[in-house]
Amino acid sequence: MSLQVMTYVFVGLSFGLYIGIAVWSRSKSTSDFYIAGSHVHPIANGAATAADWMSAASFLSMAGIIAFEGADGARYLMGWTGGYVLLALLLAPYLRKFAKFTVPDFVGDRYYSQTARLVAVVCVIFISFTYVAGQMRGVGIVFSRFLEVEIETGVLVGMAIVFFYAVLGGMKGITYTQVAQYCVLIFAYLVPAIFISIQLTGNPFPMLGLGSTMSDGSGIYLLDRLDGLTTELGMAAFTAGNKSTIDMFFITAALMAGTAGLPHVIVRFFTVPKVRDARISAGYALVFIALLYTTAPAVAAFARINIINSVNEMVYADAPDWFGKWERSGLIAWLDKNADGKVQYRGGNALNPVKPVYAEGVGSSGERSLENQPTNNGNELYIDRDIIVLAHPEIAMLPNWVIALVAAGGLAAALSTAAGLLLVISTAVSHDLMKKTFMPDISERQELLFARLSAAAAVTVAGFFGIYPIGLVAEVVAFAFGLAAASFFPVILLGIFSRRMNKEAAITGMLVGLVFTFSYIVFFKFISPELNNAEHWLLGISPEGIGTLGMLMNFAISAIVCRFTPAPPPDVQKMVENIRIPRQQASI
Amino acid sequence: MPDLDENNSNNYWKANIRLMLMLLSVWFFVSFVCGILIVDYLNQIQFFGYKLGFWFSQQGSIYFFILLIFVYVWRMNSLDRKFGLEEDD
């Protein structure tokens, strides 16, 4: 079977599975639709949380980033897993005990204020939309690359699938689909990694292969070989970092607190039956996530070695198929600076500007001509880091079915995250805006209808962003984490751990954290991108890490305002005491 | 006896906070200290096929995170029982 037919088969089968599950698990009540009736087994919730959490960025981009950045990639590895420790110890069990539907529910009730609830709703919608746009784009890219359809068609198919099970099934449908999607995506990630680990080191466990010796008989450790190769070619050594310590620290902290504060992750812990299920469920989720996250650095190192070995000093005319294929898609470019017909892969950017701008026609070896100017180093090759996970199985010459599997896995990762985010958006609209704020008199059936309608509207808007990307998807992701870290994380944490915390402190804290983080990111990313370097950053902290400072400001302001404003009413203080204890109290 | 109840809940909460702070200091140590602040120093030490700092930042910290959550679950469940505050089945 050809690769394309095989890909259609794998993707078709996985989509059939998702639709089947959606039909089987339709939602009948708002409780089903919002939190799956709180009947989800903790292991199932762990798998669903893992799929919910691991997006197109984790599946497709992360290993690529680590492959090219080496040690600096650790900020994603630690940041996106360490957040689960915060979630398990500080938030999940207490929010489960609180037993409502949404994050704005908690903020609104705990701070006895509709204003606080509305601020929270706006944050939820903003954070979730920035995040979901990137997922739909990821769906489109996988479709266009593997099934050779237009990106637009790919996005439309993706929308149709998500529409079907999110609108019909709500949280209940999404949960069980996500469990299936986790299985698909982890299988698709591990299989090629295991193959390649055996090829390079003889060790079938990629996370151990990373620390093993090369199987070529040299007896050299793989990482030492990689450090040797990279420095030899004038690149930064793989295991050495380039980012400043303070920036690494702040970015990692922002990703951790952001992870713990992301509404679509938090809400998953409302779906289990008990407080102790919420605790253990966070543990299962992290085990499932760690399977991919400990494999990613191995995939990254393997890919870097394979790429260097297969393309450096390669005669262009003899280039393998994948090279030409990705060159045609515009993600690889070669400029024959010394006109020897061979690809020299060295340190530094090959092109000026960095990204390739293709001209009409071909060069003397048959490569696509470029309008870019050569830079004055020896590097002739541009490789987009996003192709690593998709291209690596081909680079390592694995069988077609493995490559087709990777396409299905990438789609599972993007669709599962998109669905989780869309549900959070629709819940924020139907529950927090309609039922709790503007139309408190609607019946449960009407609320459920609104929930389905807003899910449908959210899918449409997300698809629109997928087809017409704002061009800044990568930039705006920094927003989602920074804002979650600077707003929700402190406000929920203090709401649980400080009985004295009141609405004045919560609202000023959230606003200060949000406004500061938002303006800092907007300034460096959109208003003056030319100033976006360590010299101009506040304390040397990049926009990626500024959420941590926003969070610290939120904590500080809250503590001060709290001292000078009245304590919360007694019933709210009682509520805080109640959520701290797992046992259901008889009404007092 | 509301006073006794309240006392019990307070002691439970204090025990919880102690456990939490202990686990969070391990969390901070393996990630922020070993993986970031002293990573260059630890990189002088070879740990199997890894430099130790690199191992902490790209593998080890994640294993510790998992361990921390499971220790937390285990300790908290027994605290719940010790103070008689566990959920009914």
Side-chain angles (χ1 to χ4, degrees), chain A residues 129 132-134 136-137 151-152 155-156 159 422 456-471 473:
Chain A
F129 262 123
V132 83
M136 293 319 266
R137 190 71 186 166
I151 288 196
E152 287 76 11
V155 172
L156 286 175
M159 276 169 64
L422 290 168
V459 174
T460 315
V461 177
F464 181 82
F465 281 129
I467 294 174
Y468 305 100
I470 15 183
V473 172

Side-chain angles (χ1 to χ4, degrees), chain A residues 72-158:
Chain A
D72 286 345
R75 65 188 188 282
Y76 297 113
L77 294 167
M78 290 191 288
W80 285 341
T81 52
Y84 277 84
V85 178
L86 299 177
L87 201 55
L89 272 59
L90 303 175
L91 309 180
Y94 308 108
L95 291 172
R96 175 62 196 84
K97 180 66 193 302
F98 171 69
K100 290 281 175 65
F101 292 144
T102 67
V103 173
D105 253 346
F106 177 79
V107 176
D109 286 8
R110 168 63 183 82
Y111 295 113
Y112 44 100
S113 152
Q114 286 301 88
T115 318
R117 183 191 288 271
L118 282 179
V119 175
V121 169
V122 172
C123 290
V124 164
I125 293 180
F126 186 82
I127 291 171
S128 303
F129 262 123
T130 52
Y131 216 104
V132 83
Q135 305 308 317
M136 293 319 266
R137 190 71 186 166
V139 171
I141 289 174
V142 174
F143 263 100
S144 70
R145 205 72 77 230
F146 283 91
L147 301 174
E148 293 176 27
V149 296
E150 294 295 314
I151 288 196
E152 287 76 11
T153 320
V155 172
L156 286 175
V157 174

Side-chain angles (χ1 to χ4, degrees), chain A residues 273-586:
Chain A
K274 284 169 184 298
V275 173
R276 65 165 182 269
D277 297 329
R279 291 180 192 144
I280 190 80
S281 186
Y284 290 130
L286 187 56
V287 169
F288 291 133
I289 292 168
L291 260 180
L292 190 144
Y293 272 63
T294 51
T295 305
V299 170
F302 299 159
R304 189 74 180 273
I305 289 190
N306 275 332
I307 288 174
I308 293 176
N309 284 340
S310 58
V311 303
N312 189 36
E313 301 301 333
M314 165 187 81
V315 177
Y316 181 84
D318 304 335
D321 277 353
W322 61 266
F323 196 89
K325 186 173 136 196
W326 292 99
E327 191 184 6
R328 281 193 296 282
S329 340
L331 296 169
I332 281 183
W334 175 56
L335 187 63
D336 196 4
K337 290 180 181 169
N338 57 0
D340 64 352
K342 289 183 192 165
V343 177
Q344 270 85 35
Y345 186 33
R346 299 283 184 278
N349 291 322
L351 308 173
N352 179 28
V354 177
K355 298 232 170 204
V357 184
Y358 297 94
E360 288 295 313
V362 292
S364 53
S365 298
E367 78 277 16
R368 286 183 76 178
S369 298
L370 296 165
E371 288 183 1
N372 306 57
Q373 296 302 309
T375 48
N376 54 7
N377 57 38
N379 187 18
E380 301 182 339
L381 186 66
Y382 166 84
I383 302 182
D384 192 293
R385 35 179 80 170
D386 278 350
I387 71 174
I388 293 299
V389 169
L390 294 176
H392 194 198
E394 288 176 271
I395 298 173
M397 293 180 282
L398 297 184
N400 276 349
W401 67 269
V402 178
I403 301 167
L405 191 61
V406 173
L411 288 172
L415 289 176
S416 57
T417 306
L421 290 161
L422 290 168
L423 189 84
V424 162
I425 296 171
S426 81
T427 318
V429 172
S430 67
H431 182 71
D432 293 305
L433 280 186
M434 302 288 201
K435 176 78 182 174
K436 291 285 182 165
T437 311
F438 295 117
M439 304 165 75
D441 298 330
I442 52 175
S443 69
E444 181 172 331
R445 278 192 54 173
Q446 285 169 310
E447 191 184 337
L448 188 57
L449 179 68
F450 276 121
R452 291 192 207 275
L453 287 178
S454 42
V459 174
T460 315
V461 177
F464 181 82
F465 281 129
I467 294 174
Y468 305 100
I470 15 183
L472 304 159
V473 172
E475 271 76 23
V476 293
V477 168
F479 264 128
F481 285 93
L483 295 183
S487 60
F488 287 131
F489 182 68
V491 128
I492 300 175
L493 185 72
L494 291 172
I496 297 164
F497 286 86
S498 160
R499 222 178 330 184
R500 180 66 175 74
M501 180 71 180
N502 58 16
K503 75 171 174 197
E504 290 82 0
I507 295 172
T508 36
M510 265 206 288
L511 287 178
V512 169
L514 280 177
V515 170
F516 170 75
T517 309
F518 189 86
S519 354
Y520 193 86
I521 298 178
V522 167
F523 179 79
F524 281 114
K525 291 284 189 185
F526 302 109
I527 299 178
S528 305
E530 73 281 358
L531 297 182
N532 192 8
N533 54 52
E535 228 173 284
H536 297 96
W537 293 336
L538 181 61
L539 305 172
I541 303 166
S542 62
E544 250 190 304
I546 202 65
T548 306
L549 203 58
M551 174 179 78
L552 295 176
M553 290 170 85
N554 185 337
F555 278 126
I557 300 280
S558 298
I560 296 167
V561 173
C562 200
R563 284 183 68 100
F564 298 103
T565 41
D571 59 316
V572 170
Q573 301 199 31
K574 271 272 176 296
M575 179 190 118
V576 176
E577 272 162 37
N578 186 38
I579 60 172
R580 290 176 175 184
I581 291 166
R583 180 184 278 279
Q584 289 296 338
Q585 305 288 87

Side-chain angles (χ1 to χ4, degrees), chain A residues 66 70-74 77-78 81-86 88-90 93-94 207-212 221 223-224 227 238-241 245 248-250 252-253 256 273-277 279-280 282-284 286-287 290 293-295 297-298 496-497 499 577 580-585, chain B residues 5-6 8-10 12-13 16-17 19-24 27-28 30-40 43 46-51 54-70 72-78 80-81 83-89:
Chain A
I66 304 170
D72 286 345
L77 294 167
M78 290 191 288
T81 52
Y84 277 84
V85 178
L86 299 177
L89 272 59
L90 303 175
Y94 308 108
M207 40 298 245
L208 301 178
L210 180 64
S212 301
Y221 282 122
L223 284 169
D224 292 341
D227 278 346
F238 188 79
T239 59
T245 302
M248 278 292 278
F249 191 99
F250 272 75
T252 308
M256 284 190 188
K274 284 169 184 298
V275 173
R276 65 165 182 269
D277 297 329
R279 291 180 192 144
I280 190 80
Y284 290 130
L286 187 56
V287 169
Y293 272 63
T294 51
T295 305
I496 297 164
F497 286 86
R499 222 178 330 184
E577 272 162 37
R580 290 176 175 184
I581 291 166
R583 180 184 278 279
Q584 289 296 338
Q585 305 288 87
Chain B
D5 262 12
E6 210 178 297
N8 188 42
S9 309
N10 282 341
Y12 168 77
W13 188 245
N16 173 3
I17 301 274
L19 171 67
M20 190 192 88
L21 290 178
M22 213 171 65
L23 295 174
L24 283 183
W27 164 82
F28 186 83
V30 295
S31 52
F32 289 98
V33 177
C34 296
I36 297 175
L37 295 176
I38 58 165
V39 69
D40 292 329
N43 275 340
Q46 185 77 14
F47 178 69
F48 298 100
Y50 307 92
K51 294 174 182 169
F54 184 84
W55 181 79
F56 263 109
S57 67
Q58 302 219 345
Q59 298 275 306
S61 54
I62 303 178
Y63 299 135
F64 274 102
F65 294 155
I66 296 177
L67 194 71
L68 286 171
I69 296 185
F70 281 95
Y72 171 76
V73 171
W74 169 58
R75 295 302 311 148
M76 277 311 279
N77 286 345
S78 66
D80 289 356
R81 278 192 299 274
F83 288 89
L85 294 171
E86 77 273 25
E87 293 153 287
D88 302 319
D89 284 307

